[in-house]
Amino acid sequence: MKKKPLLALSLLGLIAVSGCNPHGELVPYLGKWDGKFTVLEAEPNATPNDLDRESLRGYLMLYATKMLFKLHLEGEQETVDIEGTWRLEKGRVFLDTKKTSIDDMGGENFRDPNRKFIPGEAIRATYSKPVTLSLDKTKKKLSGLPITMGKVIGKHEFEKLGLR
C-alpha cells in the first residue's frame, strides 16, 4: 500500500517539474558552448592561415543562476576571461560584461613578433559593449554578427557540447 502514495507523489513531482519550470525558455541556451571568435578580415593580403591564427578559441558557459556567463578565449599570445550577465530577448542572447581579465603572457616586452596578437585595449573595447548571439534552428549553434576587435573583424561562433 505504501507504493501507491510514493508513485502518486513521483508522478506529481514529474508533472510539476516539467510544466512549471520558470527557466523553461532558457533551457536550450544553458550550459557549455565550445567555439571561437573567428577572424574574417585582418590586415590586407591576409591568407586563410593568417585569419585562422588570429582567431581566439575557447568556450562560453551560460548559467541560469543569476543569469551569469563566463567566456574563455585563447589566442597565440593571450588568454581572455570574461564574466558578466546575460539576458534573452526575442530569441537572442545578449552578453553584458562585468569583468575582463587578459593574460598577455608577459606583456609587450616579451611578445613574439612572429605570432599573432590582438591588443588588450581592443579586446576590452569590444567587450565593453553587449555581444549579441543568435541560436540556430537546430538549437545547437550560437553565432554573432561580425564585429570589430582592433584591426580585425570577426564573429563569435559556438556549438553546444554534451548530449545532442
Side-chain angles (χ1 to χ4, degrees):
M1 285 198 193
K2 291 184 181 181
K3 289 183 181 181
K4 287 184 181 180
L6 182 59
L7 179 61
L9 285 174
S10 297
L11 287 173
L12 284 174
L14 184 60
I15 291 169
V17 169
S18 63
C20 300
N21 186 347
H23 298 298
E25 68 178 346
L26 303 180
V27 170
Y29 300 90
L30 301 176
K32 187 171 186 178
W33 297 80
D34 188 34
K36 64 183 179 175
F37 175 77
T38 303
V39 174
L40 306 170
E41 295 179 33
E43 67 267 354
N45 302 320
T47 66
N49 185 50
D50 290 332
L51 298 177
D52 187 53
R53 289 180 58 210
E54 292 272 9
S55 296
L56 303 172
R57 290 158 180 72
Y59 60 86
L60 171 65
M61 294 285 298
L62 297 176
Y63 301 98
T65 307
K66 298 184 183 179
M67 298 296 286
L68 297 175
F69 80 86
K70 289 184 182 181
L71 176 61
H72 176 82
L73 297 170
E74 295 181 13
E76 289 188 357
Q77 296 192 81
E78 69 256 310
T79 300
V80 180
D81 286 300
I82 298 169
E83 297 177 10
T85 57
W86 68 283
R87 53 194 155 82
L88 185 60
E89 293 178 13
K90 297 181 183 177
R92 290 190 176 148
V93 172
F94 293 87
L95 305 177
D96 297 306
T97 300
K98 303 294 181 211
K99 178 183 174 188
T100 304
S101 301
I102 301 171
D103 179 359
D104 62 1
M105 306 201 185
E108 190 172 343
N109 295 333
F110 296 99
R111 197 163 301 130
D112 182 345
N114 298 314
R115 297 176 76 195
K116 300 296 182 182
F117 179 78
I118 299 174
E121 307 82 50
I123 293 170
R124 288 184 198 286
T126 298
Y127 292 106
S128 68
K129 299 178 258 314
V131 173
T132 306
L133 303 169
S134 297
L135 188 65
D136 76 342
K137 292 179 183 178
T138 67
K139 298 185 178 184
K140 293 180 182 176
K141 293 183 181 180
L142 279 174
S143 59
L145 296 172
I147 57 174
T148 302
M149 189 181 298
K151 295 181 181 179
V152 302
I153 297 173
K155 67 178 186 173
H156 293 89
E157 300 175 305
F158 296 98
E159 188 173 346
K160 187 72 175 238
L161 294 178
L163 301 175
R164 297 178 200 262

mmCIF file of all heavy atoms in Angstrom, residues 8-52:
data_model
loop_
_atom_site.group_PDB
_atom_site.id
_atom_site.type_symbol
_atom_site.label_atom_id
_atom_site.label_comp_id
_atom_site.label_asym_id
_atom_site.label_seq_id
_atom_site.Cartn_x
_atom_site.Cartn_y
_atom_site.Cartn_z
ATOM 1 N N ALA A 8 2.279 8.067 -6.737
ATOM 2 C CA ALA A 8 1.491 9.275 -6.985
ATOM 3 C C ALA A 8 2.329 10.527 -6.745
ATOM 4 O O ALA A 8 2.287 11.479 -7.534
ATOM 5 C CB ALA A 8 0.245 9.285 -6.096
ATOM 6 N N LEU A 9 3.114 10.544 -5.681
ATOM 7 C CA LEU A 9 3.975 11.695 -5.403
ATOM 8 C C LEU A 9 5.035 11.861 -6.476
ATOM 9 O O LEU A 9 5.346 12.983 -6.892
ATOM 10 C CB LEU A 9 4.638 11.544 -4.025
ATOM 11 C CG LEU A 9 3.739 11.800 -2.824
ATOM 12 C CD1 LEU A 9 4.476 11.476 -1.526
ATOM 13 C CD2 LEU A 9 3.278 13.243 -2.817
ATOM 14 N N SER A 10 5.592 10.762 -6.947
ATOM 15 C CA SER A 10 6.596 10.826 -8.010
ATOM 16 C C SER A 10 6.004 11.412 -9.275
ATOM 17 O O SER A 10 6.619 12.246 -9.938
ATOM 18 C CB SER A 10 7.159 9.431 -8.294
ATOM 19 O OG SER A 10 7.820 8.933 -7.167
ATOM 20 N N LEU A 11 4.796 10.957 -9.640
ATOM 21 C CA LEU A 11 4.147 11.482 -10.833
ATOM 22 C C LEU A 11 3.817 12.966 -10.688
ATOM 23 O O LEU A 11 4.008 13.744 -11.619
ATOM 24 C CB LEU A 11 2.877 10.687 -11.139
ATOM 25 C CG LEU A 11 3.108 9.281 -11.705
ATOM 26 C CD1 LEU A 11 1.785 8.528 -11.807
ATOM 27 C CD2 LEU A 11 3.785 9.354 -13.052
ATOM 28 N N LEU A 12 3.329 13.361 -9.522
ATOM 29 C CA LEU A 12 3.051 14.775 -9.280
ATOM 30 C C LEU A 12 4.322 15.611 -9.375
ATOM 31 O O LEU A 12 4.319 16.705 -9.934
ATOM 32 C CB LEU A 12 2.386 14.969 -7.916
ATOM 33 C CG LEU A 12 0.919 14.595 -7.830
ATOM 34 C CD1 LEU A 12 0.424 14.709 -6.391
ATOM 35 C CD2 LEU A 12 0.095 15.463 -8.746
ATOM 36 N N GLY A 13 5.404 15.091 -8.828
ATOM 37 C CA GLY A 13 6.682 15.797 -8.894
ATOM 38 C C GLY A 13 7.157 15.950 -10.327
ATOM 39 O O GLY A 13 7.626 17.006 -10.737
ATOM 40 N N LEU A 14 7.029 14.904 -11.130
ATOM 41 C CA LEU A 14 7.430 14.951 -12.528
ATOM 42 C C LEU A 14 6.597 15.962 -13.302
ATOM 43 O O LEU A 14 7.112 16.737 -14.099
ATOM 44 C CB LEU A 14 7.311 13.555 -13.143
ATOM 45 C CG LEU A 14 7.779 13.392 -14.575
ATOM 46 C CD1 LEU A 14 9.255 13.752 -14.695
ATOM 47 C CD2 LEU A 14 7.546 11.979 -15.053
ATOM 48 N N ILE A 15 5.306 15.969 -13.057
ATOM 49 C CA ILE A 15 4.416 16.926 -13.723
ATOM 50 C C ILE A 15 4.770 18.354 -13.313
ATOM 51 O O ILE A 15 4.842 19.254 -14.151
ATOM 52 C CB ILE A 15 2.941 16.614 -13.402
ATOM 53 C CG1 ILE A 15 2.537 15.291 -14.077
ATOM 54 C CG2 ILE A 15 2.025 17.752 -13.838
ATOM 55 C CD1 ILE A 15 1.205 14.734 -13.621
ATOM 56 N N ALA A 16 5.034 18.547 -12.049
ATOM 57 C CA ALA A 16 5.377 19.886 -11.561
ATOM 58 C C ALA A 16 6.675 20.377 -12.176
ATOM 59 O O ALA A 16 6.777 21.530 -12.593
ATOM 60 C CB ALA A 16 5.484 19.876 -10.032
ATOM 61 N N VAL A 17 7.666 19.509 -12.256
ATOM 62 C CA VAL A 17 8.960 19.910 -12.811
ATOM 63 C C VAL A 17 8.847 20.212 -14.288
ATOM 64 O O VAL A 17 9.396 21.182 -14.785
ATOM 65 C CB VAL A 17 10.024 18.811 -12.551
ATOM 66 C CG1 VAL A 17 11.282 19.067 -13.335
ATOM 67 C CG2 VAL A 17 10.337 18.722 -11.070
ATOM 68 N N SER A 18 8.117 19.378 -15.029
ATOM 69 C CA SER A 18 8.045 19.576 -16.478
ATOM 70 C C SER A 18 7.133 20.728 -16.874
ATOM 71 O O SER A 18 7.390 21.396 -17.871
ATOM 72 C CB SER A 18 7.584 18.295 -17.164
ATOM 73 O OG SER A 18 6.281 17.967 -16.751
ATOM 74 N N GLY A 19 6.095 21.004 -16.110
ATOM 75 C CA GLY A 19 5.140 22.021 -16.508
ATOM 76 C C GLY A 19 5.342 23.378 -15.896
ATOM 77 O O GLY A 19 4.831 24.363 -16.390
ATOM 78 N N CYS A 20 6.082 23.477 -14.828
ATOM 79 C CA CYS A 20 6.192 24.736 -14.113
ATOM 80 C C CYS A 20 7.632 25.211 -14.022
ATOM 81 O O CYS A 20 8.026 25.811 -13.039
ATOM 82 C CB CYS A 20 5.616 24.589 -12.709
ATOM 83 S SG CYS A 20 3.881 24.111 -12.709
ATOM 84 N N ASN A 21 8.416 24.946 -15.018
ATOM 85 C CA ASN A 21 9.821 25.331 -14.995
ATOM 86 C C ASN A 21 9.945 26.820 -15.299
ATOM 87 O O ASN A 21 9.675 27.242 -16.430
ATOM 88 C CB ASN A 21 10.608 24.507 -16.007
ATOM 89 C CG ASN A 21 12.093 24.756 -15.927
ATOM 90 O OD1 ASN A 21 12.542 25.695 -15.291
ATOM 91 N ND2 ASN A 21 12.847 23.914 -16.593
ATOM 92 N N PRO A 22 10.350 27.646 -14.323
ATOM 93 C CA PRO A 22 10.453 29.080 -14.566
ATOM 94 C C PRO A 22 11.556 29.429 -15.571
ATOM 95 O O PRO A 22 11.553 30.496 -16.132
ATOM 96 C CB PRO A 22 10.769 29.660 -13.185
ATOM 97 C CG PRO A 22 11.385 28.534 -12.433
ATOM 98 C CD PRO A 22 10.745 27.292 -12.961
ATOM 99 N N HIS A 23 12.491 28.500 -15.798
ATOM 100 C CA HIS A 23 13.580 28.749 -16.739
ATOM 101 C C HIS A 23 13.382 27.976 -18.037
ATOM 102 O O HIS A 23 14.320 27.767 -18.787
ATOM 103 C CB HIS A 23 14.921 28.360 -16.116
ATOM 104 C CG HIS A 23 15.272 29.152 -14.902
ATOM 105 N ND1 HIS A 23 15.452 30.507 -14.932
ATOM 106 C CD2 HIS A 23 15.467 28.782 -13.619
ATOM 107 C CE1 HIS A 23 15.755 30.942 -13.711
ATOM 108 N NE2 HIS A 23 15.756 29.913 -12.896
ATOM 109 N N GLY A 24 12.165 27.530 -18.309
ATOM 110 C CA GLY A 24 11.880 26.700 -19.477
ATOM 111 C C GLY A 24 12.386 27.278 -20.785
ATOM 112 O O GLY A 24 12.974 26.570 -21.595
ATOM 113 N N GLU A 25 12.165 28.563 -21.019
ATOM 114 C CA GLU A 25 12.614 29.168 -22.275
ATOM 115 C C GLU A 25 14.137 29.292 -22.342
ATOM 116 O O GLU A 25 14.706 29.395 -23.418
ATOM 117 C CB GLU A 25 11.974 30.540 -22.471
ATOM 118 C CG GLU A 25 12.455 31.600 -21.491
ATOM 119 C CD GLU A 25 11.838 32.958 -21.738
ATOM 120 O OE1 GLU A 25 11.246 33.175 -22.802
ATOM 121 O OE2 GLU A 25 11.970 33.807 -20.850
ATOM 122 N N LEU A 26 14.803 29.228 -21.195
ATOM 123 C CA LEU A 26 16.263 29.355 -21.156
ATOM 124 C C LEU A 26 16.988 28.042 -21.431
ATOM 125 O O LEU A 26 18.152 28.046 -21.811
ATOM 126 C CB LEU A 26 16.714 29.869 -19.783
ATOM 127 C CG LEU A 26 16.143 31.186 -19.290
ATOM 128 C CD1 LEU A 26 16.716 31.520 -17.922
ATOM 129 C CD2 LEU A 26 16.398 32.297 -20.276
ATOM 130 N N VAL A 27 16.297 26.919 -21.234
ATOM 131 C CA VAL A 27 16.938 25.607 -21.275
ATOM 132 C C VAL A 27 17.797 25.388 -22.523
ATOM 133 O O VAL A 27 18.924 24.922 -22.409
ATOM 134 C CB VAL A 27 15.898 24.475 -21.095
ATOM 135 C CG1 VAL A 27 16.498 23.107 -21.367
ATOM 136 C CG2 VAL A 27 15.334 24.530 -19.685
ATOM 137 N N PRO A 28 17.348 25.727 -23.747
ATOM 138 C CA PRO A 28 18.204 25.476 -24.907
ATOM 139 C C PRO A 28 19.526 26.264 -24.888
ATOM 140 O O PRO A 28 20.485 25.879 -25.542
ATOM 141 C CB PRO A 28 17.356 25.936 -26.098
ATOM 142 C CG PRO A 28 15.965 25.972 -25.598
ATOM 143 C CD PRO A 28 16.042 26.249 -24.132
ATOM 144 N N TYR A 29 19.577 27.333 -24.118
ATOM 145 C CA TYR A 29 20.749 28.199 -24.098
ATOM 146 C C TYR A 29 21.751 27.820 -23.000
ATOM 147 O O TYR A 29 22.930 28.152 -23.094
ATOM 148 C CB TYR A 29 20.320 29.658 -23.890
ATOM 149 C CG TYR A 29 19.398 30.152 -24.972
ATOM 150 C CD1 TYR A 29 18.016 30.028 -24.849
ATOM 151 C CD2 TYR A 29 19.907 30.734 -26.125
ATOM 152 C CE1 TYR A 29 17.166 30.472 -25.855
ATOM 153 C CE2 TYR A 29 19.062 31.183 -27.134
ATOM 154 C CZ TYR A 29 17.692 31.049 -26.986
ATOM 155 O OH TYR A 29 16.867 31.488 -27.980
ATOM 156 N N LEU A 30 21.295 27.162 -21.964
ATOM 157 C CA LEU A 30 22.121 26.893 -20.797
ATOM 158 C C LEU A 30 23.192 25.853 -21.075
ATOM 159 O O LEU A 30 23.012 24.950 -21.875
ATOM 160 C CB LEU A 30 21.250 26.418 -19.628
ATOM 161 C CG LEU A 30 20.175 27.389 -19.174
ATOM 162 C CD1 LEU A 30 19.328 26.750 -18.090
ATOM 163 C CD2 LEU A 30 20.778 28.692 -18.688
ATOM 164 N N GLY A 31 24.340 26.010 -20.401
ATOM 165 C CA GLY A 31 25.392 25.008 -20.487
ATOM 166 C C GLY A 31 26.640 25.521 -21.174
ATOM 167 O O GLY A 31 26.840 26.722 -21.342
ATOM 168 N N LYS A 32 27.462 24.574 -21.587
ATOM 169 C CA LYS A 32 28.760 24.888 -22.187
ATOM 170 C C LYS A 32 28.678 24.835 -23.707
ATOM 171 O O LYS A 32 28.175 23.885 -24.277
ATOM 172 C CB LYS A 32 29.821 23.900 -21.699
ATOM 173 C CG LYS A 32 31.218 24.259 -22.151
ATOM 174 C CD LYS A 32 32.259 23.391 -21.477
ATOM 175 C CE LYS A 32 33.651 23.869 -21.848
ATOM 176 N NZ LYS A 32 34.693 23.075 -21.187
ATOM 177 N N TRP A 33 29.211 25.881 -24.311
ATOM 178 C CA TRP A 33 29.260 26.023 -25.758
ATOM 179 C C TRP A 33 30.725 26.132 -26.173
ATOM 180 O O TRP A 33 31.425 27.035 -25.718
ATOM 181 C CB TRP A 33 28.513 27.277 -26.191
ATOM 182 C CG TRP A 33 27.054 27.278 -25.868
ATOM 183 C CD1 TRP A 33 26.484 27.565 -24.670
ATOM 184 C CD2 TRP A 33 25.987 26.963 -26.757
ATOM 185 N NE1 TRP A 33 25.124 27.460 -24.754
ATOM 186 C CE2 TRP A 33 24.794 27.091 -26.021
ATOM 187 C CE3 TRP A 33 25.926 26.600 -28.093
ATOM 188 C CZ2 TRP A 33 23.544 26.866 -26.591
ATOM 189 C CZ3 TRP A 33 24.686 26.379 -28.660
ATOM 190 C CH2 TRP A 33 23.515 26.503 -27.914
ATOM 191 N N ASP A 34 31.195 25.245 -27.012
ATOM 192 C CA ASP A 34 32.570 25.260 -27.500
ATOM 193 C C ASP A 34 32.620 26.101 -28.765
ATOM 194 O O ASP A 34 31.724 26.009 -29.601
ATOM 195 C CB ASP A 34 33.011 23.823 -27.790
ATOM 196 C CG ASP A 34 34.475 23.704 -28.126
ATOM 197 O OD1 ASP A 34 35.276 24.473 -27.556
ATOM 198 O OD2 ASP A 34 34.825 22.851 -28.953
ATOM 199 N N GLY A 35 33.666 26.915 -28.912
ATOM 200 C CA GLY A 35 33.726 27.712 -30.127
ATOM 201 C C GLY A 35 34.873 28.681 -30.167
ATOM 202 O O GLY A 35 35.917 28.456 -29.558
ATOM 203 N N LYS A 36 34.639 29.795 -30.865
ATOM 204 C CA LYS A 36 35.716 30.764 -31.032
ATOM 205 C C LYS A 36 35.196 32.096 -31.567
ATOM 206 O O LYS A 36 34.056 32.207 -32.005
ATOM 207 C CB LYS A 36 36.786 30.217 -31.958
ATOM 208 C CG LYS A 36 36.337 29.949 -33.391
ATOM 209 C CD LYS A 36 37.480 29.339 -34.176
ATOM 210 C CE LYS A 36 37.103 29.034 -35.609
ATOM 211 N NZ LYS A 36 38.231 28.551 -36.377
ATOM 212 N N PHE A 37 36.099 33.067 -31.495
ATOM 213 C CA PHE A 37 35.923 34.331 -32.196
ATOM 214 C C PHE A 37 36.668 34.135 -33.506
ATOM 215 O O PHE A 37 37.901 34.111 -33.534
ATOM 216 C CB PHE A 37 36.494 35.500 -31.389
ATOM 217 C CG PHE A 37 36.432 36.810 -32.129
ATOM 218 C CD1 PHE A 37 35.240 37.498 -32.245
ATOM 219 C CD2 PHE A 37 37.572 37.332 -32.719
ATOM 220 C CE1 PHE A 37 35.188 38.704 -32.941
ATOM 221 C CE2 PHE A 37 37.525 38.535 -33.405
ATOM 222 C CZ PHE A 37 36.323 39.225 -33.523
ATOM 223 N N THR A 38 35.922 33.915 -34.584
ATOM 224 C CA THR A 38 36.504 33.631 -35.891
ATOM 225 C C THR A 38 36.831 34.940 -36.590
ATOM 226 O O THR A 38 35.944 35.760 -36.817
ATOM 227 C CB THR A 38 35.513 32.825 -36.758
ATOM 228 O OG1 THR A 38 35.172 31.634 -36.059
ATOM 229 C CG2 THR A 38 36.103 32.486 -38.106
ATOM 230 N N VAL A 39 38.096 35.138 -36.943
ATOM 231 C CA VAL A 39 38.502 36.351 -37.647
ATOM 232 C C VAL A 39 38.179 36.183 -39.133
ATOM 233 O O VAL A 39 38.598 35.209 -39.767
ATOM 234 C CB VAL A 39 39.999 36.661 -37.425
ATOM 235 C CG1 VAL A 39 40.436 37.841 -38.274
ATOM 236 C CG2 VAL A 39 40.246 36.963 -35.943
ATOM 237 N N LEU A 40 37.421 37.136 -39.668
ATOM 238 C CA LEU A 40 37.007 37.123 -41.065
ATOM 239 C C LEU A 40 37.879 38.021 -41.928
ATOM 240 O O LEU A 40 38.094 37.742 -43.105
ATOM 241 C CB LEU A 40 35.546 37.576 -41.178
ATOM 242 C CG LEU A 40 34.532 36.813 -40.320
ATOM 243 C CD1 LEU A 40 33.190 37.510 -40.333
ATOM 244 C CD2 LEU A 40 34.426 35.379 -40.798
ATOM 245 N N GLU A 41 38.352 39.124 -41.331
ATOM 246 C CA GLU A 41 39.208 40.077 -42.045
ATOM 247 C C GLU A 41 40.295 40.563 -41.102
ATOM 248 O O GLU A 41 40.032 40.820 -39.929
ATOM 249 C CB GLU A 41 38.414 41.289 -42.533
ATOM 250 C CG GLU A 41 37.371 40.988 -43.576
ATOM 251 C CD GLU A 41 36.597 42.239 -43.990
ATOM 252 O OE1 GLU A 41 37.198 43.345 -44.001
ATOM 253 O OE2 GLU A 41 35.401 42.104 -44.278
ATOM 254 N N ALA A 42 41.503 40.697 -41.639
ATOM 255 C CA ALA A 42 42.626 41.232 -40.861
ATOM 256 C C ALA A 42 43.387 42.197 -41.765
ATOM 257 O O ALA A 42 42.766 42.872 -42.582
ATOM 258 C CB ALA A 42 43.510 40.101 -40.348
ATOM 259 N N GLU A 43 44.704 42.227 -41.646
ATOM 260 C CA GLU A 43 45.487 43.129 -42.475
ATOM 261 C C GLU A 43 45.322 42.773 -43.952
ATOM 262 O O GLU A 43 44.952 41.647 -44.288
ATOM 263 C CB GLU A 43 46.971 43.099 -42.079
ATOM 264 C CG GLU A 43 47.678 41.791 -42.366
ATOM 265 C CD GLU A 43 47.682 40.816 -41.197
ATOM 266 O OE1 GLU A 43 47.240 41.139 -40.103
ATOM 267 O OE2 GLU A 43 48.133 39.690 -41.425
ATOM 268 N N PRO A 44 45.598 43.733 -44.835
ATOM 269 C CA PRO A 44 45.492 43.440 -46.270
ATOM 270 C C PRO A 44 46.377 42.242 -46.632
ATOM 271 O O PRO A 44 47.429 42.027 -46.047
ATOM 272 C CB PRO A 44 46.009 44.716 -46.949
ATOM 273 C CG PRO A 44 45.852 45.787 -45.925
ATOM 274 C CD PRO A 44 46.008 45.111 -44.590
ATOM 275 N N ASN A 45 45.920 41.486 -47.589
ATOM 276 C CA ASN A 45 46.635 40.306 -48.091
ATOM 277 C C ASN A 45 46.744 39.188 -47.054
ATOM 278 O O ASN A 45 47.623 38.332 -47.154
ATOM 279 C CB ASN A 45 48.034 40.674 -48.600
ATOM 280 C CG ASN A 45 47.982 41.723 -49.693
ATOM 281 O OD1 ASN A 45 47.106 41.676 -50.558
ATOM 282 N ND2 ASN A 45 48.901 42.676 -49.641
ATOM 283 N N ALA A 46 45.890 39.184 -46.053
ATOM 284 C CA ALA A 46 45.903 38.106 -45.058
ATOM 285 C C ALA A 46 45.431 36.816 -45.713
ATOM 286 O O ALA A 46 44.426 36.795 -46.418
ATOM 287 C CB ALA A 46 45.016 38.456 -43.876
ATOM 288 N N THR A 47 46.168 35.752 -45.486
ATOM 289 C CA THR A 47 45.810 34.445 -46.030
ATOM 290 C C THR A 47 44.799 33.769 -45.095
ATOM 291 O O THR A 47 44.651 34.183 -43.945
ATOM 292 C CB THR A 47 47.058 33.555 -46.150
ATOM 293 O OG1 THR A 47 47.539 33.265 -44.827
ATOM 294 C CG2 THR A 47 48.149 34.236 -46.973
ATOM 295 N N PRO A 48 44.128 32.734 -45.573
ATOM 296 C CA PRO A 48 43.235 31.987 -44.668
ATOM 297 C C PRO A 48 43.979 31.476 -43.432
ATOM 298 O O PRO A 48 43.410 31.451 -42.336
ATOM 299 C CB PRO A 48 42.733 30.830 -45.542
ATOM 300 C CG PRO A 48 42.783 31.374 -46.936
ATOM 301 C CD PRO A 48 44.004 32.253 -46.955
ATOM 302 N N ASN A 49 45.228 31.104 -43.577
ATOM 303 C CA ASN A 49 46.026 30.666 -42.429
ATOM 304 C C ASN A 49 46.233 31.809 -41.440
ATOM 305 O O ASN A 49 46.154 31.609 -40.227
ATOM 306 C CB ASN A 49 47.374 30.101 -42.884
ATOM 307 C CG ASN A 49 48.161 29.522 -41.731
ATOM 308 O OD1 ASN A 49 47.653 28.727 -40.957
ATOM 309 N ND2 ASN A 49 49.414 29.958 -41.614
ATOM 310 N N ASP A 50 46.495 33.024 -41.945
ATOM 311 C CA ASP A 50 46.643 34.199 -41.068
ATOM 312 C C ASP A 50 45.353 34.461 -40.287
ATOM 313 O O ASP A 50 45.389 34.737 -39.086
ATOM 314 C CB ASP A 50 46.992 35.448 -41.878
ATOM 315 C CG ASP A 50 48.388 35.414 -42.461
ATOM 316 O OD1 ASP A 50 49.267 34.747 -41.873
ATOM 317 O OD2 ASP A 50 48.601 36.051 -43.509
ATOM 318 N N LEU A 51 44.215 34.376 -40.971
ATOM 319 C CA LEU A 51 42.925 34.614 -40.319
ATOM 320 C C LEU A 51 42.678 33.574 -39.231
ATOM 321 O O LEU A 51 42.219 33.911 -38.139
ATOM 322 C CB LEU A 51 41.791 34.598 -41.342
ATOM 323 C CG LEU A 51 41.846 35.666 -42.430
ATOM 324 C CD1 LEU A 51 40.693 35.479 -43.409
ATOM 325 C CD2 LEU A 51 41.846 37.061 -41.845
ATOM 326 N N ASP A 52 43.012 32.323 -39.520
ATOM 327 C CA ASP A 52 42.837 31.261 -38.519
ATOM 328 C C ASP A 52 43.745 31.495 -37.317
ATOM 329 O O ASP A 52 43.334 31.291 -36.175
ATOM 330 C CB ASP A 52 43.116 29.898 -39.148
ATOM 331 C CG ASP A 52 42.794 28.761 -38.203
ATOM 332 O OD1 ASP A 52 41.665 28.723 -37.682
ATOM 333 O OD2 ASP A 52 43.685 27.918 -37.972
#
